[in-house]
Amino acid sequence: MKSLIVLRSLAALAIAALISGCAVPFFGGYGANGQSREEFERHVEEIFRLQNQMTSEVMMLLENDEAEKPEALLQAEQHMQRVCADLNEYVSRDIDGLSSGLFLRRRVEKSAIDCEQAATAIKPLLNL
């Protein structure tokens, strides 16, 4: 009986820590690379900038009919937008002064590397 109470107390403590976001460092840090919060936030900002740069360059090439493979470029850009949707939502909410919530932050952590890879995959299609 006593061990059941201890287990319930530990479970409640773990849930409270997860909800507050304090438990992340105990599990190896933020993101797939286990970075500190500051490193992860800096990396996510770099990914967001890269993604925005790729979107701008794709739009310019397509508007000026300068893309060698417009269909491939458009598909790659659309894929990037899907993969980076959580990051874009996170940044949009941050800009608007809204709370991002634990679940959105977790989705950004899980998708950041995929978003970066999708943005990087566009570079060879730009023919710059």
Side-chain angles (χ1 to χ4, degrees), residues 46-105:
E46 290 170 8
I47 294 169
F48 180 73
R49 289 177 192 268
L50 172 64
Q51 179 230 232
N52 277 328
Q53 178 187 1
M54 293 301 102
T55 297
S56 296
E57 292 183 24
V58 166
M59 286 173 42
M60 286 176 49
L61 283 175
L62 292 175
E63 283 179 11
N64 297 328
D65 291 325
E66 296 176 2
E68 284 186 23
K69 298 179 182 178
E71 286 299 317
L73 189 58
L74 186 58
Q75 286 179 353
E77 199 272 337
Q78 289 172 345
H79 171 72
M80 179 188 68
Q81 292 302 324
R82 282 190 304 274
V83 173
C84 299
D86 291 327
L87 175 59
N88 289 322
E89 180 182 351
Y90 178 85
V91 171
S92 176
R93 293 184 65 78
D94 187 57
I95 289 170
D96 292 340
L98 301 171
S99 171
S100 58
L102 176 65
F103 294 118
L104 179 57
R105 287 193 306 264

Side-chain angles (χ1 to χ4, degrees), residues 8 12-14 16 19 36 38 45 49 56 58 62 73 85 89 96-97 112 122 125:
R8 284 185 180 170
L13 181 61
I19 290 171
S36 71
E38 294 79 21
E45 183 178 338
R49 289 177 192 268
S56 296
V58 166
L62 292 175
L73 189 58
E89 180 182 351
D96 292 340
I122 291 177
L125 300 172

